[in-house]
Amino acid sequence: MLKNLAFSGVTNIEIIDLDTIDVSNLNRQFLFRPEHVGQSKALVAANVSLRFNPELTIQAYHDNIKNSKYSVAYFSTFSVVLNALDNVDARRHVNRMCLAANVPLIDSGTTGYLGQVTPIIKGWTACYECHPKPVQKVYPICTIRSTPDKPVHCIVWAKECFKLLFNNPKDSMLFEDENTEASAYMSFLPLKTRFAKIQEKLAYFTSFLFGVFHLDIQKRIDMDVYKTAKTLPVPLDRGLLEEVMGTVLQRVGEGYGDGHTHIHAHTLPPSPQTSQPDWEHSVWGIKENILELVYALLELPPNGGEGEEGGYVCVWICVWICVWIWCMLYGLLHAWCICSILLVRGV
Ligand SMILES: [Zn+2]
């Protein structure tokens, strides 16, 4: 949009965007190059546009449009406002600000292969909120992968993980090409479930979980993805992960020792927390969740669930627990009660 404005002779522009450039943004636009990954979208777009049209006066802000400093008075300084937003909440906000400031708004967006453009002019056209919107079911990939701020984002993330690990990886939004700087989880495809020794299996899951819950989050923190976020996500602590693995090895090793390629769910001793009385009503923090996830991973049948009794249930539990861990690391949830997983078990 900015490129088109620059080429069509618009000379006085202000742009506001709180996002930073992700590798996944590079394939469908003309402004960003691989060396820009991690930088502010607004600032890079402004600089690059100046090369298209040096006459341009352009002011860029790496900021949230909902920041109160963009007041009605600020909006009323413009002849027209153009929305290129990825969420309903921000669109509603800009719609209201433009109505209050009596400035024409052009709202645009895409979903899949479809695009739409809607002019919104006070007193002439319907506004963005005149008609109720269907509940959002599709979420932008950058929100899912990097900046979840609702538990539903974490559920979608886990569903995509499920496709990645247990269905066709290329159908998952999380799938990345090998030639890009891939996320840590990509090196674990397909997920290995067959090992000669329990120690090897635990070591493998340690590096897998460390990759997903620490390295990939830390990488985005280093890229300054969360510059404008209220709270930073907390990558999973390596010490805690190793402590959990130690507990599991001690407990599972008691009955099993080495040499088992696959542990059957019905012969696996219960985890320390599920062997407690009234464990269904206990509240789990991050450590309890990791412990239970490792138990569920141990139960994974060698073929990833197909044909094996209890296989799908166990895969489902892995995905479900991943949701809560992801929610916790992103500060969306601090603890949860095991009752909700029993509903899943009961299905
Ligand atoms: Zn309206």
Side-chain angles (χ1 to χ4, degrees), residues 2-3 15 21 31-32 36 40-52 56 58 60:
L2 193 59
K3 170 193 66 94
I15 52 173
I21 299 161
L31 300 175
F32 307 142
H36 296 134
S40 153
K41 281 185 181 171
L43 301 179
V44 172
N47 280 333
V48 177
S49 302
L50 281 175
R51 272 189 253 148
F52 293 145
L56 212 57
I58 186 161

Side-chain angles (χ1 to χ4, degrees), residues 34-187:
E35 66 266 24
H36 296 134
V37 168
Q39 296 181 40
S40 153
K41 281 185 181 171
L43 301 179
V44 172
N47 280 333
V48 177
S49 302
L50 281 175
R51 272 189 253 148
F52 293 145
N53 181 357
E55 312 273 287
L56 212 57
T57 307
I58 186 161
Q59 187 72 49
Y61 307 94
H62 183 203
D63 204 354
N64 190 335
I65 186 68
K66 290 180 78 178
N67 188 324
S68 59
K69 79 180 188 205
Y70 308 114
S71 60
V72 173
Y74 173 81
F75 272 84
S76 61
T77 61
F78 296 94
S79 316
V80 63
V81 173
L82 303 167
N83 260 357
L85 289 164
D86 62 1
N87 67 85
V88 172
D89 187 50
R91 279 196 164 93
R92 273 198 196 120
H93 175 80
V94 175
N95 174 58
R96 289 176 189 195
M97 296 304 277
C98 286
L99 290 177
N102 201 4
V103 173
L105 168 66
I106 312 290
D107 186 75
S108 61
T110 56
T111 302
Y113 295 111
L114 302 173
Q116 56 90 19
V117 179
T118 316
I120 296 169
I121 303 164
K122 190 176 179 179
W124 281 65
T125 69
C127 86
Y128 186 71
E129 293 184 271
C130 280
H131 306 288
K133 296 281 171 297
V135 178
Q136 191 177 8
K137 284 186 189 143
V138 179
Y139 301 91
I141 177 67
C142 40
T143 306
I144 298 309
R145 241 173 47 159
S146 312
T147 52
D149 60 11
K150 291 187 185 72
V152 66
H153 296 150
C154 299
I155 294 172
V156 176
W157 172 83
K159 278 171 75 179
E160 295 302 319
C161 274
F162 175 83
K163 278 190 221 163
L164 192 73
L165 297 172
F166 301 111
N167 278 25
N168 187 359
K170 290 193 174 172
D171 289 346
S172 169
M173 291 202 295
L174 299 175
F175 186 83
E176 295 165 8
D177 289 330
E178 280 165 29
N179 56 359
T180 61
E181 208 190 300
S183 296
Y185 54 73
M186 287 304 295
S187 58

